Amino acid sequence: MTRKRLLAAIAATASAAGLFGAVVTAEAAAPSLTAVFAQSSAWDSGYGGKYTLTNTGDANSTQWTIEFDLPAGTTITTSWSSVLTRSGQHYKVTNAGFNGTIKPGGTASFGFNTTGLGLPTGCTINGDPCGGGAPSTTTTPPTTTTTSKPPTTTPSVPAGDVIDVSTAAELRAALAAASPGQTIRLAAGTYRGSFVATKPGTAGAPITVTGPATAVLINDGPSGEAPSCPAPTAGWDSGYGFWLYGAPYWHLKGFTVQESKKGIVADDSHHTLIEGVRVHRIDEEAVHFRRSSADSVIRDSTISHTGLVQAGYGEGVYLGSANSNWACHGNSGGVDRSDRIQVLDNHIGPYVAAEGIDVKEGTVDGVVRGNTFDGQGVSGQNSADSWVDVKGSGYVIEGNTGTFASPGTFANGYETHNPGTTPSFPNGCGNVWRDNKSDLGGVGQYAIKITSTSKCSERPNVVYASNTVSRAVNGLTNIPVTP
C-alpha cells in the first residue's frame, strides 16, 4: 500500500470512529436523578421534611416523580413545590410547574410537614432507587412516643478551627475572639445572658455558631440605659437572644433561642445564613434582618409563640425597617437596604402574633419559598392580620402553604401595601405569587390581596393561576389572574 493510500485509510477509519463516537455520545445523553431526604425542622408532634433532587446525568430532566412510604401514625399534612397524592401510607410526589426541569449538575427540592415522627422509607425516583433516602444516622422514633421534645440533631461542623463551649462565659469569650473560618460549637445546655458578635467573617471563610436544638440561648434583658439607636454599648443589654452587629458572613445553625426580647437580630451583617434554628417564646419579633443585612438566608427553621409582650411587633421574620426607623437603620443612603434576602422552607407559627413575614418598604428582590405558615394566634394588632405583608418590590413568593384556624384576627393570606417614602421606591409593586396553597379557614377574605393597582401601574403585581385557595370568604385574589 502506498503512503498516500495508507493515510487515506487511516483518515477514513478515524472519521468513522469519530462518527461512531458522536452517535454513542448522543444516545448516551440522558438525565440521571437522585434524591436525598433530610429532616429540616422538628417540633413536638411532627417535623418538616425536604427532598433534594440532583441531576448527575448529561441532559436536562423534564419531569420527576418520587414515591415513598411513611409508617403508620405519621401522615403528611402540607406540602409545597410539588403535587402530592396518597394511597394509605404510600405517597407519590410529582414536580410542580416550575421545578420539573433540572439541568445537568443542577438541583430541585420539595418539602412537607407531618403529624407524627416516622421517616420515609422505600424511596424511588422515576421508578429507580433514590440513591439517598433518610440519613443512616437517624433512627425512626416509635410512633407511640409521648415525648414533648423534638428529636435532637447536631449539625455538621465545617472544616477549620473548632472552639467547643459549654457555658455562657465561654460563648461570650469565643464570640469576642472569633476570626474568619472558625466554628463555635455549642454543647447541649442553657446559655443565659447577652450574646453579641461584632467580628466579620469572609465569603471564603465564614464564622459559624452551631449546636443541637437542646443548646438554648436566653436573654433576660433588656437592662441599663439604651442608646438613641440600637448599638452594642457598655452598660446596656439589648435583650436580644443573639445579635450580629457589623458582622457579615456568619452562619448560625441548629440551636434554640427563646425567652428574649427579640430572637436573632442581624444589623449591618450581610450574607448571614440562619439554618435549622428554633426561635420561640419571644417578647417581640423572632428574626430581624436590619441595617442593610442584604443577601442573607433563613431556611429550614421553626418559629412560634412571638409577640408575648408586644403582640403588634411579634413578627416571625422581619426584612428591613419601617421608613419611620430609617433615621436609625437607614445606613445605605438613608435607607435600610436589606435586599435579596431568601426565606426558605421554614415552619412559621402557630401563635406568631404579627405577620409570619413582614417585608418592609425600600427592600427589593427577595425570595419567600417553601414555607409553611400557621396563622393561628395572629393578633390583629398594629394591622397584623396576614401571613405575609409585602411592602417591598420585586419579591418572588412561591411554593408556600398557609393555614388559619381560630383563635386569631385574620383578614387575608398575603397582602401588599404601598407606603410613600423619601427617597421614593415602587413599594408594594412588582411582586410575583405562584404555586402557593392557602386555606383561609372560612375566615380570610382573599388568599392574595393586592391593595392598589393604580400605584403599581408601571410594575404590576402578578398572581398566577397555579396558586390555589380553599375556604376563602371571597376567593383567590382581587386582581385578574395570570395563566
Side-chain angles (χ1 to χ4, degrees):
M1 181 181 292
T2 67
R3 183 173 182 274
K4 183 175 181 181
R5 288 180 179 178
L6 177 62
L7 292 174
I10 293 171
T13 302
S15 176
L19 178 59
F20 178 76
V23 171
V24 170
T25 300
E27 290 178 348
S32 179
L33 297 181
T34 61
V36 176
F37 171 79
Q39 195 178 67
S40 57
S41 58
W43 49 97
D44 293 349
S45 58
Y47 65 85
K50 179 179 179 180
Y51 271 97
T52 300
L53 291 70
T54 302
N55 185 357
T56 61
D58 49 11
N60 288 354
S61 74
T62 56
Q63 59 81 33
W64 47 262
T65 298
I66 285 182
E67 298 187 50
F68 57 85
D69 298 302
L70 289 176
T74 299
T75 59
I76 291 177
T77 56
T78 57
S79 62
W80 52 90
S81 301
S82 61
V83 178
L84 182 145
T85 57
R86 173 189 177 190
S87 177
Q89 293 302 113
H90 185 77
Y91 290 83
K92 181 178 181 181
V93 186
T94 58
N95 57 273
F98 62 89
N99 62 354
T101 299
I102 308 175
K103 296 179 180 179
T107 63
S109 65
F110 70 91
F112 55 84
N113 291 324
T114 71
T115 295
L117 299 173
L119 301 180
T121 59
C123 177
T124 63
I125 181 166
N126 293 343
D128 297 321
C130 285
S136 59
T137 57
T138 302
T139 302
T140 303
T143 57
T144 58
T145 181
T146 58
T147 180
S148 62
K149 296 181 179 180
T152 299
T153 59
T154 301
S156 60
V157 176
D161 293 336
V162 177
I163 296 91
D164 286 308
V165 301
S166 59
T167 69
E170 290 175 349
L171 175 55
R172 281 191 292 271
L175 294 174
S179 61
Q182 285 187 334
T183 293
I184 301 169
R185 183 165 57 190
L186 305 170
T190 299
Y191 300 76
R192 193 178 296 272
S194 176
F195 305 107
V196 184
T198 59
K199 301 294 181 66
T202 67
I207 301 170
T208 300
V209 179
T210 184
T214 49
V216 180
L217 276 57
I218 296 173
N219 191 333
D220 295 315
S223 62
E225 184 176 350
S228 57
C229 291
T233 303
W236 177 62
D237 178 357
S238 66
Y240 304 168
F242 194 97
W243 192 8
L244 295 170
Y245 191 91
Y249 295 106
W250 278 65
H251 294 178
L252 310 180
K253 298 184 176 184
F255 56 88
T256 295
V257 177
Q258 66 186 48
E259 297 169 35
S260 303
K261 179 180 180 181
K262 301 180 189 292
I264 299 172
V265 177
D267 276 329
D268 192 20
S269 299
H270 56 84
H271 291 90
T272 295
L273 170 63
I274 302 173
E275 181 178 20
V277 302
R278 186 182 189 192
V279 185
H280 68 143
R281 291 155 54 187
I282 301 296
D283 293 351
E284 297 178 0
E285 72 267 30
V287 177
H288 196 160
F289 295 96
R290 197 169 63 180
R291 288 181 59 83
S292 303
S293 293
D295 300 297
S296 295
V297 178
I298 177 170
R299 68 188 183 203
D300 299 327
S301 296
T302 303
I303 294 169
S304 67
H305 297 85
T306 63
L308 301 184
V309 173
Q310 295 199 77
Y313 298 97
E315 294 87 356
V317 180
Y318 198 118
L319 308 184
S321 302
N323 68 95
S324 59
N325 291 322
W326 286 355
C328 276
H329 304 309
N331 60 331
S332 298
V335 181
D336 184 344
R337 299 308 304 266
S338 294
D339 296 337
R340 299 176 301 280
I341 293 176
Q342 300 183 62
V343 185
L344 310 175
D345 300 319
N346 304 285
H347 189 279
I348 302 176
Y351 292 95
V352 169
E355 296 88 351
I357 302 175
D358 196 355
V359 179
K360 285 304 185 184
E361 54 268 28
T363 66
V364 302
D365 298 339
V367 177
V368 177
R369 177 186 297 136
N371 302 284
T372 297
F373 302 109
D374 183 339
Q376 186 179 43
V378 63
S379 68
Q381 295 186 28
N382 199 25
S383 301
D385 54 11
S386 61
W387 302 316
V388 181
D389 191 345
V390 183
K391 306 179 191 73
S393 59
Y395 280 76
V396 174
I397 302 153
E398 65 182 3
N400 303 288
T401 299
T403 61
F404 174 76
S406 62
T409 301
F410 186 67
N412 302 286
Y414 305 84
E415 297 178 347
T416 65
H417 292 95
N418 314 92
T421 57
T422 302
S424 179
F425 295 95
N427 295 317
C429 302
N431 303 293
V432 173
W433 282 262
R434 62 189 176 211
D435 294 296
N436 299 289
K437 300 177 182 179
S438 301
D439 178 352
L440 306 188
V443 175
Q445 302 293 307
Y446 292 101
I448 303 161
K449 173 69 179 297
I450 305 301
T451 300
S452 174
T453 55
S454 61
K455 291 181 180 179
C456 298
S457 58
E458 294 184 3
R459 294 191 63 187
N461 292 291
V462 178
V463 177
Y464 283 101
S466 59
N467 296 286
T468 60
V469 64
S470 61
R471 299 198 294 170
V473 173
N474 290 332
L476 177 63
T477 185
N478 62 318
I479 67 170
V481 172
T482 299

PDB file of all heavy atoms in Angstrom, residues 438-465:
ATOM      1  N   SER A 438     -53.343  27.975  49.905  1.00  0.00           N
ATOM      2  CA  SER A 438     -53.889  28.759  51.012  1.00  0.00           C
ATOM      3  C   SER A 438     -55.209  28.168  51.485  1.00  0.00           C
ATOM      4  O   SER A 438     -56.123  27.968  50.693  1.00  0.00           O
ATOM      5  CB  SER A 438     -54.121  30.213  50.566  1.00  0.00           C
ATOM      6  OG  SER A 438     -52.914  30.808  50.124  1.00  0.00           O
ATOM      7  N   ASP A 439     -55.288  27.905  52.779  1.00  0.00           N
ATOM      8  CA  ASP A 439     -56.531  27.504  53.431  1.00  0.00           C
ATOM      9  C   ASP A 439     -56.869  28.611  54.425  1.00  0.00           C
ATOM     10  O   ASP A 439     -56.203  28.761  55.452  1.00  0.00           O
ATOM     11  CB  ASP A 439     -56.348  26.168  54.139  1.00  0.00           C
ATOM     12  CG  ASP A 439     -57.604  25.705  54.874  1.00  0.00           C
ATOM     13  OD1 ASP A 439     -58.577  26.492  54.965  1.00  0.00           O
ATOM     14  OD2 ASP A 439     -57.600  24.570  55.380  1.00  0.00           O
ATOM     15  N   LEU A 440     -57.906  29.386  54.120  1.00  0.00           N
ATOM     16  CA  LEU A 440     -58.232  30.577  54.904  1.00  0.00           C
ATOM     17  C   LEU A 440     -59.210  30.282  56.044  1.00  0.00           C
ATOM     18  O   LEU A 440     -59.686  31.212  56.699  1.00  0.00           O
ATOM     19  CB  LEU A 440     -58.788  31.669  53.994  1.00  0.00           C
ATOM     20  CG  LEU A 440     -57.905  32.044  52.795  1.00  0.00           C
ATOM     21  CD1 LEU A 440     -58.472  33.274  52.096  1.00  0.00           C
ATOM     22  CD2 LEU A 440     -56.469  32.288  53.200  1.00  0.00           C
ATOM     23  N   GLY A 441     -59.535  29.013  56.254  1.00  0.00           N
ATOM     24  CA  GLY A 441     -60.302  28.626  57.427  1.00  0.00           C
ATOM     25  C   GLY A 441     -61.715  29.173  57.484  1.00  0.00           C
ATOM     26  O   GLY A 441     -62.329  29.204  58.554  1.00  0.00           O
ATOM     27  N   GLY A 442     -62.254  29.599  56.330  1.00  0.00           N
ATOM     28  CA  GLY A 442     -63.593  30.183  56.309  1.00  0.00           C
ATOM     29  C   GLY A 442     -63.643  31.585  56.891  1.00  0.00           C
ATOM     30  O   GLY A 442     -64.733  32.144  57.071  1.00  0.00           O
ATOM     31  N   VAL A 443     -62.492  32.181  57.162  1.00  0.00           N
ATOM     32  CA  VAL A 443     -62.419  33.498  57.794  1.00  0.00           C
ATOM     33  C   VAL A 443     -61.779  34.526  56.873  1.00  0.00           C
ATOM     34  O   VAL A 443     -62.270  35.644  56.725  1.00  0.00           O
ATOM     35  CB  VAL A 443     -61.619  33.413  59.121  1.00  0.00           C
ATOM     36  CG1 VAL A 443     -61.428  34.794  59.727  1.00  0.00           C
ATOM     37  CG2 VAL A 443     -62.316  32.482  60.101  1.00  0.00           C
ATOM     38  N   GLY A 444     -60.661  34.177  56.248  1.00  0.00           N
ATOM     39  CA  GLY A 444     -59.927  35.118  55.405  1.00  0.00           C
ATOM     40  C   GLY A 444     -60.693  35.486  54.147  1.00  0.00           C
ATOM     41  O   GLY A 444     -61.409  34.660  53.570  1.00  0.00           O
ATOM     42  N   GLN A 445     -60.516  36.715  53.715  1.00  0.00           N
ATOM     43  CA  GLN A 445     -61.210  37.206  52.522  1.00  0.00           C
ATOM     44  C   GLN A 445     -60.575  36.661  51.246  1.00  0.00           C
ATOM     45  O   GLN A 445     -61.214  35.991  50.450  1.00  0.00           O
ATOM     46  CB  GLN A 445     -61.191  38.743  52.510  1.00  0.00           C
ATOM     47  CG  GLN A 445     -61.834  39.386  53.733  1.00  0.00           C
ATOM     48  CD  GLN A 445     -63.320  39.148  53.790  1.00  0.00           C
ATOM     49  OE1 GLN A 445     -64.046  39.424  52.840  1.00  0.00           O
ATOM     50  NE2 GLN A 445     -63.788  38.612  54.911  1.00  0.00           N
ATOM     51  N   TYR A 446     -59.309  36.989  51.043  1.00  0.00           N
ATOM     52  CA  TYR A 446     -58.588  36.568  49.845  1.00  0.00           C
ATOM     53  C   TYR A 446     -57.294  35.867  50.252  1.00  0.00           C
ATOM     54  O   TYR A 446     -56.664  36.216  51.255  1.00  0.00           O
ATOM     55  CB  TYR A 446     -58.208  37.756  48.967  1.00  0.00           C
ATOM     56  CG  TYR A 446     -59.369  38.459  48.310  1.00  0.00           C
ATOM     57  CD1 TYR A 446     -59.856  39.654  48.830  1.00  0.00           C
ATOM     58  CD2 TYR A 446     -59.960  37.943  47.161  1.00  0.00           C
ATOM     59  CE1 TYR A 446     -60.913  40.315  48.225  1.00  0.00           C
ATOM     60  CE2 TYR A 446     -61.019  38.596  46.552  1.00  0.00           C
ATOM     61  CZ  TYR A 446     -61.497  39.784  47.091  1.00  0.00           C
ATOM     62  OH  TYR A 446     -62.541  40.428  46.486  1.00  0.00           O
ATOM     63  N   ALA A 447     -56.860  34.918  49.423  1.00  0.00           N
ATOM     64  CA  ALA A 447     -55.527  34.361  49.628  1.00  0.00           C
ATOM     65  C   ALA A 447     -54.475  35.441  49.408  1.00  0.00           C
ATOM     66  O   ALA A 447     -53.520  35.560  50.173  1.00  0.00           O
ATOM     67  CB  ALA A 447     -55.296  33.186  48.685  1.00  0.00           C
ATOM     68  N   ILE A 448     -54.662  36.242  48.338  1.00  0.00           N
ATOM     69  CA  ILE A 448     -53.681  37.277  47.970  1.00  0.00           C
ATOM     70  C   ILE A 448     -54.441  38.569  47.721  1.00  0.00           C
ATOM     71  O   ILE A 448     -55.189  38.688  46.738  1.00  0.00           O
ATOM     72  CB  ILE A 448     -52.886  36.869  46.714  1.00  0.00           C
ATOM     73  CG1 ILE A 448     -52.194  35.509  46.956  1.00  0.00           C
ATOM     74  CG2 ILE A 448     -51.860  37.940  46.350  1.00  0.00           C
ATOM     75  CD1 ILE A 448     -51.778  34.792  45.699  1.00  0.00           C
ATOM     76  N   LYS A 449     -54.275  39.518  48.602  1.00  0.00           N
ATOM     77  CA  LYS A 449     -54.986  40.805  48.494  1.00  0.00           C
ATOM     78  C   LYS A 449     -53.994  41.883  48.050  1.00  0.00           C
ATOM     79  O   LYS A 449     -53.056  42.217  48.769  1.00  0.00           O
ATOM     80  CB  LYS A 449     -55.589  41.187  49.844  1.00  0.00           C
ATOM     81  CG  LYS A 449     -56.201  42.591  49.905  1.00  0.00           C
ATOM     82  CD  LYS A 449     -57.461  42.711  49.084  1.00  0.00           C
ATOM     83  CE  LYS A 449     -58.063  44.106  49.196  1.00  0.00           C
ATOM     84  NZ  LYS A 449     -58.497  44.443  50.570  1.00  0.00           N
ATOM     85  N   ILE A 450     -54.207  42.390  46.840  1.00  0.00           N
ATOM     86  CA  ILE A 450     -53.377  43.461  46.287  1.00  0.00           C
ATOM     87  C   ILE A 450     -54.064  44.782  46.604  1.00  0.00           C
ATOM     88  O   ILE A 450     -55.152  45.062  46.100  1.00  0.00           O
ATOM     89  CB  ILE A 450     -53.173  43.291  44.774  1.00  0.00           C
ATOM     90  CG1 ILE A 450     -52.605  41.903  44.462  1.00  0.00           C
ATOM     91  CG2 ILE A 450     -52.285  44.398  44.234  1.00  0.00           C
ATOM     92  CD1 ILE A 450     -51.289  41.593  45.117  1.00  0.00           C
ATOM     93  N   THR A 451     -53.436  45.582  47.440  1.00  0.00           N
ATOM     94  CA  THR A 451     -54.100  46.780  47.949  1.00  0.00           C
ATOM     95  C   THR A 451     -54.340  47.820  46.872  1.00  0.00           C
ATOM     96  O   THR A 451     -55.402  48.448  46.829  1.00  0.00           O
ATOM     97  CB  THR A 451     -53.267  47.401  49.091  1.00  0.00           C
ATOM     98  OG1 THR A 451     -53.151  46.425  50.136  1.00  0.00           O
ATOM     99  CG2 THR A 451     -53.923  48.653  49.636  1.00  0.00           C
ATOM    100  N   SER A 452     -53.377  48.017  45.982  1.00  0.00           N
ATOM    101  CA  SER A 452     -53.527  49.056  44.959  1.00  0.00           C
ATOM    102  C   SER A 452     -52.951  48.587  43.632  1.00  0.00           C
ATOM    103  O   SER A 452     -51.830  48.067  43.589  1.00  0.00           O
ATOM    104  CB  SER A 452     -52.817  50.342  45.392  1.00  0.00           C
ATOM    105  OG  SER A 452     -52.849  51.309  44.355  1.00  0.00           O
ATOM    106  N   THR A 453     -53.726  48.749  42.566  1.00  0.00           N
ATOM    107  CA  THR A 453     -53.201  48.510  41.222  1.00  0.00           C
ATOM    108  C   THR A 453     -52.738  49.810  40.572  1.00  0.00           C
ATOM    109  O   THR A 453     -51.787  49.817  39.796  1.00  0.00           O
ATOM    110  CB  THR A 453     -54.257  47.835  40.334  1.00  0.00           C
ATOM    111  OG1 THR A 453     -55.452  48.636  40.337  1.00  0.00           O
ATOM    112  CG2 THR A 453     -54.599  46.452  40.854  1.00  0.00           C
ATOM    113  N   SER A 454     -53.376  50.922  40.901  1.00  0.00           N
ATOM    114  CA  SER A 454     -53.014  52.202  40.287  1.00  0.00           C
ATOM    115  C   SER A 454     -51.613  52.638  40.699  1.00  0.00           C
ATOM    116  O   SER A 454     -50.864  53.202  39.885  1.00  0.00           O
ATOM    117  CB  SER A 454     -54.025  53.287  40.668  1.00  0.00           C
ATOM    118  OG  SER A 454     -54.055  53.489  42.068  1.00  0.00           O
ATOM    119  N   LYS A 455     -51.223  52.385  41.931  1.00  0.00           N
ATOM    120  CA  LYS A 455     -49.880  52.769  42.374  1.00  0.00           C
ATOM    121  C   LYS A 455     -48.799  51.871  41.781  1.00  0.00           C
ATOM    122  O   LYS A 455     -47.608  52.191  41.877  1.00  0.00           O
ATOM    123  CB  LYS A 455     -49.805  52.723  43.898  1.00  0.00           C
ATOM    124  CG  LYS A 455     -50.635  53.802  44.583  1.00  0.00           C
ATOM    125  CD  LYS A 455     -50.498  53.721  46.088  1.00  0.00           C
ATOM    126  CE  LYS A 455     -51.324  54.812  46.780  1.00  0.00           C
ATOM    127  NZ  LYS A 455     -51.220  54.747  48.260  1.00  0.00           N
ATOM    128  N   CYS A 456     -49.219  50.762  41.186  1.00  0.00           N
ATOM    129  CA  CYS A 456     -48.262  49.809  40.621  1.00  0.00           C
ATOM    130  C   CYS A 456     -48.465  49.645  39.117  1.00  0.00           C
ATOM    131  O   CYS A 456     -48.181  48.583  38.554  1.00  0.00           O
ATOM    132  CB  CYS A 456     -48.394  48.449  41.311  1.00  0.00           C
ATOM    133  SG  CYS A 456     -48.045  48.481  43.081  1.00  0.00           S
ATOM    134  N   SER A 457     -48.962  50.674  38.468  1.00  0.00           N
ATOM    135  CA  SER A 457     -49.265  50.555  37.037  1.00  0.00           C
ATOM    136  C   SER A 457     -48.013  50.279  36.202  1.00  0.00           C
ATOM    137  O   SER A 457     -48.073  49.594  35.187  1.00  0.00           O
ATOM    138  CB  SER A 457     -49.957  51.826  36.539  1.00  0.00           C
ATOM    139  OG  SER A 457     -49.140  52.965  36.784  1.00  0.00           O
ATOM    140  N   GLU A 458     -46.872  50.802  36.619  1.00  0.00           N
ATOM    141  CA  GLU A 458     -45.643  50.575  35.865  1.00  0.00           C
ATOM    142  C   GLU A 458     -44.985  49.249  36.225  1.00  0.00           C
ATOM    143  O   GLU A 458     -44.251  48.677  35.428  1.00  0.00           O
ATOM    144  CB  GLU A 458     -44.657  51.717  36.106  1.00  0.00           C
ATOM    145  CG  GLU A 458     -45.131  53.064  35.560  1.00  0.00           C
ATOM    146  CD  GLU A 458     -44.093  54.151  35.740  1.00  0.00           C
ATOM    147  OE1 GLU A 458     -42.987  53.850  36.246  1.00  0.00           O
ATOM    148  OE2 GLU A 458     -44.377  55.303  35.364  1.00  0.00           O
ATOM    149  N   ARG A 459     -45.217  48.764  37.438  1.00  0.00           N
ATOM    150  CA  ARG A 459     -44.664  47.479  37.883  1.00  0.00           C
ATOM    151  C   ARG A 459     -45.771  46.703  38.597  1.00  0.00           C
ATOM    152  O   ARG A 459     -45.805  46.619  39.818  1.00  0.00           O
ATOM    153  CB  ARG A 459     -43.464  47.673  38.814  1.00  0.00           C
ATOM    154  CG  ARG A 459     -42.258  48.296  38.155  1.00  0.00           C
ATOM    155  CD  ARG A 459     -41.050  48.199  39.091  1.00  0.00           C
ATOM    156  NE  ARG A 459     -40.692  46.796  39.348  1.00  0.00           N
ATOM    157  CZ  ARG A 459     -39.765  46.427  40.238  1.00  0.00           C
ATOM    158  NH1 ARG A 459     -39.136  47.330  40.953  1.00  0.00           N
ATOM    159  NH2 ARG A 459     -39.482  45.138  40.405  1.00  0.00           N
ATOM    160  N   PRO A 460     -46.692  46.139  37.847  1.00  0.00           N
ATOM    161  CA  PRO A 460     -47.835  45.474  38.491  1.00  0.00           C
ATOM    162  C   PRO A 460     -47.416  44.212  39.240  1.00  0.00           C
ATOM    163  O   PRO A 460     -46.432  43.547  38.903  1.00  0.00           O
ATOM    164  CB  PRO A 460     -48.748  45.131  37.309  1.00  0.00           C
ATOM    165  CG  PRO A 460     -47.837  45.072  36.126  1.00  0.00           C
ATOM    166  CD  PRO A 460     -46.775  46.096  36.376  1.00  0.00           C
ATOM    167  N   ASN A 461     -48.174  43.899  40.267  1.00  0.00           N
ATOM    168  CA  ASN A 461     -48.050  42.611  40.920  1.00  0.00           C
ATOM    169  C   ASN A 461     -48.708  41.534  40.065  1.00  0.00           C
ATOM    170  O   ASN A 461     -49.692  41.798  39.370  1.00  0.00           O
ATOM    171  CB  ASN A 461     -48.712  42.659  42.300  1.00  0.00           C
ATOM    172  CG  ASN A 461     -47.965  43.553  43.269  1.00  0.00           C
ATOM    173  OD1 ASN A 461     -46.860  43.245  43.686  1.00  0.00           O
ATOM    174  ND2 ASN A 461     -48.567  44.690  43.629  1.00  0.00           N
ATOM    175  N   VAL A 462     -48.173  40.321  40.125  1.00  0.00           N
ATOM    176  CA  VAL A 462     -48.658  39.227  39.282  1.00  0.00           C
ATOM    177  C   VAL A 462     -49.049  38.053  40.167  1.00  0.00           C
ATOM    178  O   VAL A 462     -48.247  37.576  40.981  1.00  0.00           O
ATOM    179  CB  VAL A 462     -47.592  38.782  38.265  1.00  0.00           C
ATOM    180  CG1 VAL A 462     -48.119  37.613  37.428  1.00  0.00           C
ATOM    181  CG2 VAL A 462     -47.187  39.945  37.370  1.00  0.00           C
ATOM    182  N   VAL A 463     -50.279  37.590  39.995  1.00  0.00           N
ATOM    183  CA  VAL A 463     -50.779  36.416  40.699  1.00  0.00           C
ATOM    184  C   VAL A 463     -51.081  35.343  39.664  1.00  0.00           C
ATOM    185  O   VAL A 463     -51.976  35.521  38.824  1.00  0.00           O
ATOM    186  CB  VAL A 463     -52.036  36.742  41.518  1.00  0.00           C
ATOM    187  CG1 VAL A 463     -52.575  35.475  42.191  1.00  0.00           C
ATOM    188  CG2 VAL A 463     -51.746  37.818  42.558  1.00  0.00           C
ATOM    189  N   TYR A 464     -50.350  34.243  39.687  1.00  0.00           N
ATOM    190  CA  TYR A 464     -50.519  33.193  38.694  1.00  0.00           C
ATOM    191  C   TYR A 464     -51.641  32.225  39.089  1.00  0.00           C
ATOM    192  O   TYR A 464     -51.960  32.064  40.269  1.00  0.00           O
ATOM    193  CB  TYR A 464     -49.217  32.420  38.505  1.00  0.00           C
ATOM    194  CG  TYR A 464     -48.196  33.157  37.657  1.00  0.00           C
ATOM    195  CD1 TYR A 464     -47.135  33.822  38.261  1.00  0.00           C
ATOM    196  CD2 TYR A 464     -48.304  33.197  36.273  1.00  0.00           C
ATOM    197  CE1 TYR A 464     -46.196  34.508  37.494  1.00  0.00           C
ATOM    198  CE2 TYR A 464     -47.385  33.877  35.498  1.00  0.00           C
ATOM    199  CZ  TYR A 464     -46.324  34.525  36.119  1.00  0.00           C
ATOM    200  OH  TYR A 464     -45.410  35.215  35.357  1.00  0.00           O
ATOM    201  N   ALA A 465     -52.193  31.588  38.064  1.00  0.00           N
ATOM    202  CA  ALA A 465     -53.292  30.647  38.277  1.00  0.00           C
ATOM    203  C   ALA A 465     -52.843  29.388  39.013  1.00  0.00           C
ATOM    204  O   ALA A 465     -53.682  28.609  39.470  1.00  0.00           O
ATOM    205  CB  ALA A 465     -53.913  30.267  36.935  1.00  0.00           C
TER     206      ALA A 465
END
